Amino acid sequence: MAEAVVLLDVWVSPFGQRCRIALAEKGVAYEYKEEDLSNKSPMLLQANPVHKKIPVLIHDGKPVCESLVIVQYIDEVWSDGAPILPADPYARAQARFWGDFVDKKIYECGTRLWKLKGEALQEAKKEFIEILKVLEAELGDRKYFGGDAFGYVDIALVPFFAWFYTYETCGGFSVEAEAPKLVAWGKRCMERESVSQTLYDPLKVYEFVGFLKKKYGVE
Amino acid sequence: MAAVKLIGSPISPFVLRTMIALSLKKVEYELLPEKLGEKSELLLKSNPVYKKIPVLIHHDRPICESAVIVEYIDQVWPESGYGAILPADAYHRALHRFWTFYVDDKLFPSLVAIGKAETEEAKAEAVEQFRAGLRLLEEAFVKLSEGKAFFGGDHVGFLDVMLGCFVVWIEAMEEVLSLELLEEATMPALHGWVVSFRAHEAVKEVMPESGKVVEFFKMIRAMRMKAAADAAN
């Protein structure tokens, strides 16, 4: 039943996109509800009282919060689709480790690239390039982070592929120059319908960040 | 040559988490403490990304990040010792994982902020933030425990392990700073949970002595204050 699964989300959110990609990969029908974060719905406030944030997956009336918790939940409930996390315990631990790395590093550092100026921006740029290089090394020559199969780490990271243009433009560097394998990986992921149907054009993301910059009074 | 090694010592609550999990599973392992202020070759090689403890080494392969390690332990030794740590159904697993995120992302940093606060105001603010977080966990406990002793119901579950590792630190800070953090009056269920958790055989086996944690906390506080004083001069 489609109405049994609802996703509270915001179009541009990379965290929401993780959930959309996972649901698409599993072929799960769901109702998408766009939230206005300046006017949060009672449904959102009730479903995520602790953080009042999206994404929230509501399954049979029960809310699940935190994007990577949601992705794991989707993997476990719709277990007859292709697995998102590998079955082998060691491979699974590696996937969780790298998913956590992406979670801890990309968004926070990336945000500093468009919010800050001067010394602080240069510091953020250095850190972000370092993060890219670590991911580049981890990916190596594999098709996906999960190896031959598109999986958890790919899902955790790929929404940010649409943000690379924004990050490199604000930061004054080239993602492709620093991490060519990562860019090739992103393009491969975009060949998957679940990804291409979910990610927005990088220019649209850049435009959105422009609007955020005005809102926060960033030059 | 032990098949299972753990780098770290139980003074670190994140190491303690993994020790509680290993203890619950009755898995034998070799504990490899690090020297304070010095990182071993083994640690740097096993955790090149963060260079932090804990690191579990199983059949010579390293696993890093305490939450990842505990899930790994639960998956590799599913039926051993006291049985499963993660709940059986997907929704409860999601709830335990959600609250673990909260503990690591919000609760623990606010606990650290109490210890680091340099003014009375900063301390009071950090204390209030921490208590507010505990009140949320009090509510979560009532829902998840369903009247039983643990977040996992009648057995120690994932969130019990992920939160319980901080109990001895909370108590040490209460003693050293003369504060009440886990207030019995406003958090009666959590108070009861602490007693049950501390009384569990598997937890007792690995829980560091309160005295040791108090001494360690006093020592790092003194080190920090000295560093701040030196920097000011």
Side-chain angles (χ1 to χ4, degrees), chain B residues 141-197:
Chain B
F141 178 77
V142 171
K143 286 202 190 107
L144 288 170
S145 64
E146 295 179 353
K148 309 266 174 63
F150 303 108
F151 285 95
D154 50 25
H155 68 278
V156 172
F158 190 59
L159 185 54
D160 295 285
V161 176
M162 303 310 266
L163 179 62
C165 63
F166 297 109
V167 161
V168 67
W169 273 90
I170 295 170
E171 291 168 354
M173 287 174 68
E174 284 178 330
E175 187 181 312
V176 174
L177 303 175
S178 306
L179 287 169
E180 202 190 354
L181 294 171
L182 218 162
E183 302 170 299
E184 187 161 7
T186 54
M187 303 160 201
L190 275 186
H191 228 261
W193 165 77
V194 169
V195 174
S196 309
F197 187 73

Side-chain angles (χ1 to χ4, degrees), chain A residues 66-95:
Chain A
E66 287 303 328
S67 62
L68 291 183
V69 176
I70 295 170
V71 170
Q72 288 180 74
Y73 178 81
I74 290 166
D75 195 31
E76 290 170 12
V77 170
W78 288 279
S79 52
D80 50 0
I84 290 174
L85 273 170
D88 172 71
Y90 186 71
R92 186 178 288 206
Q94 294 309 297

Side-chain angles (χ1 to χ4, degrees), chain A residues 12-61:
Chain A
V12 71
S13 164
F15 304 100
Q17 286 172 338
R18 288 168 169 174
C19 308
R20 283 176 250 163
I21 293 168
L23 287 163
E25 286 284 323
K26 295 283 190 174
V28 178
Y30 66 98
E31 188 192 340
Y32 177 91
K33 276 201 154 95
E34 180 77 18
E35 283 285 328
D36 173 2
L37 295 182
S38 64
N39 185 17
K40 294 177 183 181
S41 74
M43 194 182 219
L44 173 58
L45 299 175
Q46 197 188 61
N48 191 356
V50 175
H51 302 293
K52 306 175 176 57
K53 282 183 169 181
I54 55 93
V56 182
L57 185 81
I58 308 178
H59 183 208
D60 286 335

Side-chain angles (χ1 to χ4, degrees), chain B residues 9 38 58 87 118 146:
Chain B
S9 69
E38 241 181 80
H58 188 208
E118 288 175 9
E146 295 179 353

